[in-house]
Amino acid sequence: MRIAAAQILSGRDPQDNLRKVRERVAEAAGRGARLVVFPEATMRAFGAGRLDEIAEPVDGPWATAVAEVAREYGVVVVVGMFTPGEGGRVRNTLLVTGPAGDGEGGAGEDLHLGYDKIHLFDAFGFAESDTVEPGDTTRVVTIDGVGIGLSVCYDIRFPGQYRRLAADGARLTLCSASWGSGPGKVDQWRLLAGARALDATTFLLAVDQADPEVEGVEVKKGAPTGIGHSLLVGPDGTVREEIAARGSGLLVVEVDDDEVSRIRKAVPVLANGRVTEEPAAGVGR
């Protein structure tokens, strides 16, 4: 399967961000991509305005417009948006839309669904939970017969989620992010992506927002706005390809599902694992 990581810099205006989605999908489809993955918060960047004023359900006009782009180009699009939550909060949702092929709904049917981010970024002085309500369900979708696990940003620090996705059939895992900048954060991003691929013996495509600083865009101080460096990690934990820059870019790569089978046969960590529960919240390791 040929897949694409669309490293963009989203801003305040959802319609302008939709334009960026269309442009990148057109480019990726022209290069043969079957799946095009965008960052978290593509609908509106963190720190660029209230999220509740633009949040809408996955059958709302913004998500429907993304679905129309996916159908036009015959690809599946994965994109970060915000959907309504409870008590004035929103949900940080990863929309998956487009023709699934021999997948979820059968040949010729379209996917159109969301995954709500489970682990909220209450770290490094930022409190995502102030405005965002957590999800509570992991999700694997099937595209052209391949199981694909969904995750968002801070999820990548929690190995149990990735092992759960693998147990539920994921062979490729996606992580859409708006990774907060700071000392050591690029190193952490690469390290965590490699570790989660090894934990689950899946390919892992980690797609981040571009860094606004390098594109000359001023942002609200403290908001997690991206560092770039989107990358593909193999099921053996090696980085296969990376956008080795902080600015906008497009990475188109091939993944071989047979390699997952070979790695799992050689290193059967999923079959050999004996600890099935993570410690409760607040319990030290």
Side-chain angles (χ1 to χ4, degrees):
M1 181 185 293
R2 182 168 290 185
I3 62 178
Q7 183 170 294
I8 66 167
L9 178 64
S10 62
R12 179 183 177 85
D13 182 3
Q15 293 308 307
D16 187 54
N17 296 330
L18 182 62
R19 175 189 60 79
K20 294 176 183 179
V21 169
R22 170 178 283 279
E23 290 174 352
R24 287 302 191 186
V25 168
E27 183 180 356
R31 294 172 59 181
R34 177 71 176 90
L35 172 68
V36 188
V37 185
F38 288 84
E40 174 188 26
T42 290
M43 186 184 196
R44 170 173 281 179
F46 286 114
R50 292 178 62 98
L51 301 177
D52 58 345
E53 68 182 14
I54 53 94
E56 62 178 55
V58 294
D59 60 356
W62 196 87
T64 298
V66 176
E68 291 170 355
V69 172
R71 283 195 298 271
E72 178 182 349
Y73 289 97
V75 300
V76 175
V77 177
V78 179
V79 61
M81 63 175 295
F82 298 101
T83 56
E86 298 288 337
R89 293 194 293 175
V90 302
R91 290 207 167 202
N92 187 337
T93 300
L94 201 58
L95 172 70
V96 183
T97 186
D102 183 16
E104 194 101 329
E109 296 192 15
D110 281 3
L111 283 168
H112 191 82
L113 52 84
Y115 157 72
D116 295 329
K117 182 180 181 181
I118 293 172
H119 299 98
L120 301 185
F121 184 62
D122 288 359
F124 293 99
F126 187 82
E128 186 178 6
S129 61
D130 284 350
T131 55
V132 178
E133 178 184 29
D136 55 13
T137 305
T138 57
R139 190 144 213 176
V140 175
V141 299
T142 304
I143 300 171
D144 295 343
V146 177
I148 298 176
L150 306 177
S151 65
V152 176
C153 203
Y154 196 49
D155 284 338
I156 203 171
R157 291 184 180 270
F158 299 88
Q161 179 169 345
Y162 290 77
R163 291 178 63 85
R164 176 75 266 164
L165 291 170
D168 289 342
R171 317 274 291 181
L172 163 66
T173 307
L174 310 177
C175 182
S176 292
S178 185
W179 197 252
S181 63
K185 293 299 292 293
V186 173
D187 291 336
Q188 291 173 29
W189 170 246
R190 292 194 187 108
L191 177 63
L192 288 163
R196 297 298 83 84
L198 281 171
D199 291 335
T201 48
T202 67
F203 282 96
L204 194 149
L205 185 70
V207 185
D208 193 25
Q209 288 268 353
D211 185 341
E213 184 178 354
V214 304
E215 301 208 355
V217 176
E218 291 188 12
V219 296
K220 182 179 179 181
K221 187 176 180 180
T225 52
I227 57 169
H229 290 277
S230 300
L231 70 164
L232 175 72
V233 182
D236 60 354
T238 59
V239 175
R240 302 301 174 83
E241 293 196 51
E242 178 180 346
I243 299 176
R246 292 176 175 260
S248 299
L250 182 71
L251 178 67
V252 180
V253 289
E254 299 275 355
V255 295
D256 180 3
D257 185 60
D258 290 339
E259 184 177 354
V260 176
S261 298
R262 293 194 298 271
I263 294 295
R264 289 182 176 178
K265 183 177 180 179
V267 191
V269 293
L270 296 174
N272 292 346
R274 299 179 65 189
V275 178
T276 57
E277 297 293 333
E278 288 198 303
V283 177
R285 294 172 186 263

